Amino acid sequence: MSDTNGHAQILALLRQRKAVFGRRLLDIPSGGGPVVDGARAAGYAVTEVDLFPRPRMHGVCADACAPLPFRDASFDVVLSMEGIEHFEHQAGFVRECARVLAPGGWLVLTTPNVLTLSARATHLLTGGKVLKQGFVNEIATLR
């Protein structure tokens, strides 16, 4: 299995920095799978948030572009892999991440590299037409 989304690197970072990061981890949007399972196996208490709940998800169904349903300083680590590029209110999302992070907490955020040749070709062949209709995100595609 190839690691095209950096899962192995994120898991290595979480294992390596566990003593620094703390134990409470918020995964938003949560794709489940190897990162969530690996973080739990490494001893993190993982809370998942996603707009589309799935079986065996341990967390809440919530919109990442709205206020998060957690108290201030609830988490030591907020992990957001390949999600922010889908959010209409990206700055608001980052503010909410900062709000739910404990003092000294860590935001681990990844986003795709849109400068690769394959990303540019995909945009050229599909993205340009879609984006002319307005900002595309999970909510907009449901309407």
Side-chain angles (χ1 to χ4, degrees):
M1 177 173 102
S2 68
D3 183 31
T4 58
N5 292 324
H7 294 157
Q9 291 89 346
I10 293 297
L11 280 173
L13 175 71
L14 291 173
R15 288 184 191 115
Q16 189 177 59
R17 299 286 184 145
K18 186 177 171 211
V20 175
F21 282 169
R23 202 175 103 67
R24 304 168 299 165
L25 185 144
L26 176 65
D27 184 30
I28 179 171
S30 181
V35 174
V36 168
D37 294 343
R40 284 194 176 109
Y44 286 91
V46 179
T47 301
E48 300 173 75
V49 173
D50 205 285
L51 187 58
F52 303 107
R54 64 186 184 292
R56 298 182 303 141
M57 185 173 117
H58 300 285
V60 297
C61 176
D63 184 354
C65 294
L68 296 174
F70 304 107
R71 294 180 184 196
D72 295 357
S74 295
F75 299 97
D76 303 308
V77 181
V78 173
L79 174 63
S80 180
M81 291 183 64
E82 315 287 317
I84 195 169
E85 68 275 7
H86 299 281
F87 300 155
E88 187 170 6
H89 303 292
Q90 296 169 347
F93 170 71
V94 173
R95 269 192 299 279
E96 277 299 289
C97 290
R99 182 185 65 77
V100 300
L101 273 171
W106 290 76
L107 172 61
V108 180
L109 189 141
T110 68
T111 190
N113 180 358
V114 296
L115 299 178
T116 64
L117 182 58
S118 63
R120 289 178 181 203
T122 299
H123 177 73
L124 176 68
L125 297 174
T126 63
K129 292 181 181 178
V130 172
L131 293 177
K132 287 179 184 174
Q133 299 169 9
F135 198 96
V136 178
N137 62 33
E138 286 81 358
I139 296 292
T141 58
L142 294 174
R143 294 183 196 149

